[in-house]
Amino acid sequence: MVEPAFLLELGGVVVGLALLARIAARYRLPASPLFLLAGLAFGEGGVFPLLTAEEFIELGAEVGVILLLFMLGLEYSASELTSGLKRHAPAGVVDLALNFTPGLVAALLLGWGPVAAVFLGGITYISSSGIVARLLDDMGWLGNRETPVVISILVIEDLVMAGYLSVIAVLVSGVGAAEGVLTLAVALTAVIALLIVAQRWGHLVSDALFHRSDQTLVLTIVGITFLVAGLSELVGISAAVGAFLVGLMLSGPAAERAHDLLGPMRDLFAAIFFVFFGLSIDPGTIPPILGVAVLLGILTAATKVLTGWWSARREGVRTRGRFRAGVALVARGEFSIAIAGIGTAGGVEPELASLAGAYVLLMAVAGPLAAKVVDPVVRATQARTAARRPPRRDEQGTRDRRQLPRHRG
C-alpha cells in the first residue's frame, strides 16, 4: 500500500515542476535550470527537504537519462551520423580541442586528479542538444545557412559522447589498467558493431518492431531499450549509450510513432532527472565554487562562440551567421548533468556535482540570452566599423552592391 505522504510529496514535486515549466515557457527560456533549482530546494540543506519520495525520484532520474538518449538516437540515422562525421570532422576536432581542454585544465588546476579532469572536460565540452534545438526554432534560425553547421557539430558531439561515456564508465568501475583497457576495447567494439547493424539492417529491425497498436509498440520499444541498456552496462558500455544506439537503429514509421508516443514520457522523466541531480547537491557547497563556475562559464562561452564562428566561416557563412552559430552552441544542459551524475555516483570528486550544477545553471541561461542579443550587437558593431571607414569611390561602391549577400547568414 502506497503511503499518502509519498503521493503528496511526489504530486507536490510534479505540480511544482509544471508551474516552473509554465514560467519558463512564458519567458521563452529553457526549463531545465529551474528544475535544477527545484532540486536544490527539495534536497538536503534545501528549503523543503523530501522525506519519502527521494528513492522514487532517483529511479525516475535513471529512466530519464535512458529516455533522453533513446529519443536523441531517434533524431538521426546511422548514415546521417557517418556522413556528418566525414564532412564536418575538422569542426568536430576544433570543438573538442577548444571546449574539452578548459574543463580538463581547470580540474587539474583545482587539484582534482586526472579522472575528475576527464569528467569536467566532458561537462564543458558538450552542448545541450535539447536547448540548442529549441533555440534554433524559437529564434527562427532553422532556415539559416549556419544552422546545418550547428546541427553537424551537435551530431559529432553525440557520436563522440557514445565513446566518451564508455570511457568514463570504465574509469569509475575501479578495475585495473589492463582490465580497464580490455573492458574499453570490448565496449568500443560493441558500439561499432551496433552502429554497423544500425546502418545496414536498421530498417529490418524497425519493421520487425513496428506494430499498429500503440500499446504494443510502446511496450516493445521500451522493453527492448531497457534490455539493451542493461546488457550495455554488463559489457562496460553506459546504459545511456545502449539506449542511444537503439534509437539510432529505428527508422520509418516505428521511429515516428515512438517519437510521438514516448515524447511526453521523456519530458516527465527528464524533468525528474534534473530534480534528482539538484537533490544530490547541498546548496551550501555552491557559493565556494561559484567563482570557478563563472570563470569557466565565461571561458567556455567564448570557446564555443569561436568554434561556431570558425566552423561557419569554413562553409562560407557571413559574419552575423558565424556569430549566431557560435552563441547557439553555448548552452550546456542534460548531458553535462548526466556526466556529472555518473562521476558523483562513482565517487570521483566531492565538488564535481556542485561545480557542474552551478556551471550548467549559468550556461543554460546564458545561451538563450546571448542568442537574443547577438544580432543587434553584431549589427551595431558592423555599423560603427563602417562609419569609421573612409568613403569609397563610385566604381568600388558599384562593385560592392553587386556582391550583396543572397542569404541571411
Side-chain angles (χ1 to χ4, degrees):
M1 188 71 180
V2 179
E3 291 290 334
F6 167 79
L7 295 176
L8 286 170
E9 275 197 357
L10 185 60
V13 169
V14 176
V15 169
L17 295 181
L19 292 174
L20 293 175
R22 287 169 182 264
I23 293 171
R26 171 70 178 79
Y27 295 99
R28 303 179 72 179
L29 290 172
S32 49
L34 299 181
F35 296 159
L36 266 176
L37 288 175
L40 289 172
F42 293 138
E44 185 178 353
V47 183
F48 308 107
L50 298 179
L51 300 176
T52 59
E54 189 165 347
E55 288 186 9
F56 177 84
I57 291 176
E58 180 178 1
L59 182 61
E62 294 182 12
V63 173
V65 174
I66 290 173
L67 289 177
L68 273 171
L69 270 292
F70 168 74
M71 297 294 286
L72 181 67
L74 284 181
E75 301 294 330
Y76 308 113
S77 67
S79 57
E80 285 173 337
L81 279 181
T82 51
S83 63
L85 180 62
K86 289 176 183 174
R87 178 175 172 80
H88 297 283
V93 172
V94 169
D95 182 30
L96 182 63
L98 288 182
N99 297 290
F100 189 90
T101 305
L104 184 81
V105 173
L108 294 175
L109 290 175
L110 289 168
W112 283 7
V115 174
V118 172
F119 274 82
L120 191 55
I123 290 168
T124 60
Y125 162 60
I126 189 161
S127 300
S128 167
S129 299
I131 295 176
V132 174
R134 180 173 173 181
L135 193 63
L136 294 173
D137 188 25
D138 287 347
M139 299 301 297
W141 292 351
L142 287 174
N144 289 5
R145 284 191 61 192
E146 72 273 11
T147 298
V149 177
V150 174
I151 292 175
S152 297
I153 290 175
L154 294 178
V155 169
I156 292 174
E157 287 184 353
D158 295 336
L159 196 59
V160 171
M161 195 52 45
Y164 172 81
L165 289 175
S166 301
V167 170
I168 61 174
V170 172
L171 290 177
V172 298
S173 63
V175 298
E179 190 178 351
V181 170
L182 178 62
T183 304
L184 183 59
V186 171
L188 293 179
T189 302
V191 169
I192 293 170
L194 285 172
L195 280 172
I196 293 172
V197 170
Q199 188 169 15
R200 294 189 177 181
W201 300 290
H203 63 289
L204 298 178
V205 175
S206 297
D207 292 343
L209 296 183
F210 182 71
H211 196 279
R212 293 186 182 279
S213 165
D214 289 346
Q215 183 185 45
T216 304
L217 183 62
V218 167
L219 290 173
T220 303
I221 291 178
V222 171
I224 294 290
T225 301
F226 283 113
L227 277 174
V228 173
L231 290 171
S232 301
E233 288 278 0
L234 285 178
V235 298
I237 309 173
S238 165
V241 174
F244 174 77
L245 293 172
V246 173
L248 193 68
M249 208 170 295
L250 296 181
S251 60
E256 293 170 7
R257 288 302 297 151
H259 189 278
D260 293 340
L261 295 171
L262 296 180
M265 191 186 299
R266 181 271 315 268
D267 293 341
L268 172 63
F269 283 102
I272 290 176
F273 162 70
F274 279 101
V275 170
F276 175 71
F277 186 77
L279 285 174
S280 65
I281 303 172
D282 181 350
T285 63
I286 289 183
I289 208 76
L290 188 58
V292 177
V294 171
L295 290 175
L296 199 56
I298 293 171
L299 176 61
T300 55
T303 53
K304 276 293 181 185
V305 170
L306 182 58
T307 299
W309 191 93
W310 184 85
S311 305
R313 184 173 178 270
R314 286 184 70 242
E315 298 296 315
V317 177
R318 294 177 70 84
T319 303
R320 206 185 307 169
R322 296 174 196 170
F323 281 103
R324 286 195 207 113
V327 298
L329 293 167
V330 165
R332 271 70 157 190
E334 62 275 17
F335 298 112
S336 297
I337 294 297
I339 294 167
I342 294 171
T344 303
V348 170
E349 168 60 45
E351 290 185 314
L352 182 65
S354 305
L355 179 56
Y359 175 76
V360 170
L361 275 172
L362 292 170
M363 303 307 282
V365 174
L369 291 179
K372 289 179 184 293
V373 302
V374 64
D375 273 359
V377 169
V378 174
R379 261 198 305 267
T381 305
Q382 288 177 323
R384 280 200 298 271
T385 304
R388 290 173 185 167
R389 287 178 184 158
R392 295 179 176 179
R393 293 180 303 174
D394 289 341
E395 60 272 23
Q396 182 68 32
T398 302
R399 184 167 64 247
D400 285 344
R401 282 195 294 275
R402 286 201 303 269
Q403 294 174 345
L404 285 175
R406 298 177 181 177
H407 304 281
R408 293 178 59 189

